[in-house]
Amino acid sequence: MVQPFYIATMVMVLKNTLSLSIYKWYSFVTSLFSWTSFFGIVAISLDRLLVIQLHLRYQELVTQKRVTAVVISIWVFSTILSLVVSFQLIPVDVKTLNAILVVVMGLCFICTTIIYCKIYITVRRHTKEIYKYRSRKQKNGELANARGVLPEKLGRGVRPASQNPYPIYDQNLQFSLPYL
């Protein structure tokens, strides 16, 4: 939805027919989807941390209603933030508004960084525990039964996204850092 707005805006800029209202709507739409994506990445990283740390309790704590409430609140908060930024519904100085946006974005980056560090530490600990378990089983000669359950080279080679979340974090950082 943002791409057609961008093309239309660029055509109007080239023709010198860009009105202020169209620019404000373009700014609103791009800001809305940017903030929603940004807060969505924070929510996904928190969800991955809960999956890894809560194990079997995850299903009872993370219910469909709670997920729906989080998604709706992300969209509502992003909409309010985009309206304030694009249409200046609250009369705030530009420097103050930019400072607030930098603080919000900075807090989200700090939270995401801490969450991914916790994920990394937890996955490393679990991998070491699995290797210890396998080595004890191998010494006792009981590995034949566990061979179908545990992969031969766990933690090496291609890893699932839950074990390697950093590419998502890096992309978020690369695309959002110019706006800080």
Side-chain angles (χ1 to χ4, degrees):
M1 184 164 176
V2 175
Q3 192 67 29
F5 253 134
Y6 177 73
I7 292 170
T9 305
M10 290 299 112
V11 167
M12 288 180 188
V13 166
L14 290 174
K15 290 182 176 181
N16 290 328
T17 60
L18 181 65
S19 67
L20 186 60
S21 64
I22 291 175
Y23 179 75
K24 284 185 178 184
W25 278 106
Y26 167 73
S27 174
F28 170 73
V29 170
T30 55
S31 179
L32 173 69
F33 287 119
S34 297
W35 283 111
T36 304
S37 298
F38 189 71
F39 293 133
I41 289 173
V42 174
I44 288 171
S45 65
L46 184 61
D47 179 63
R48 287 182 179 179
L49 179 67
L50 292 175
V51 165
I52 290 173
Q53 291 203 344
L54 295 179
H55 305 292
L56 298 175
R57 291 182 41 211
Y58 175 79
Q59 290 293 331
E60 68 185 45
L61 293 177
V62 180
T63 62
Q64 185 70 28
K65 287 182 181 180
R66 289 180 181 161
V67 170
T68 304
V70 167
V71 169
I72 289 172
S73 43
I74 285 173
W75 277 98
V76 167
F77 187 66
S78 298
T79 302
I80 292 170
L81 200 58
S82 299
L83 285 171
V84 167
V85 169
S86 300
F87 295 107
Q88 297 178 347
L89 296 178
I90 301 172
V92 181
D93 182 29
V94 174
K95 289 183 181 180
T96 307
L97 183 64
N98 287 339
I100 291 170
L101 295 178
V102 166
V103 167
V104 169
M105 196 176 278
L107 287 174
C108 288
F109 271 124
I110 290 170
C111 289
T112 306
T113 304
I114 291 170
I115 288 169
Y116 278 137
C117 287
K118 284 187 173 192
I119 288 173
Y120 178 74
I121 290 167
T122 304
V123 169
R124 258 186 93 177
R125 189 185 72 225
H126 287 181
T127 305
K128 286 179 183 180
E129 289 173 0
I130 289 172
Y131 279 127
K132 286 179 186 177
Y133 173 77
R134 290 191 73 193
S135 65
R136 280 194 309 244
K137 289 286 187 179
Q138 193 172 23
K139 287 179 184 176
N140 295 337
E142 300 171 3
L143 187 61
N145 293 336
R147 192 173 299 270
V149 176
L150 295 173
E152 195 62 36
K153 294 181 179 179
L154 184 66
R156 294 186 185 137
V158 179
R159 295 182 176 188
S162 63
Q163 286 185 342
N164 195 4
Y166 292 105
I168 296 169
Y169 178 72
D170 288 342
Q171 285 181 344
N172 184 27
L173 188 63
Q174 287 174 357
F175 291 127
S176 299
L177 203 55
Y179 298 108
L180 283 178

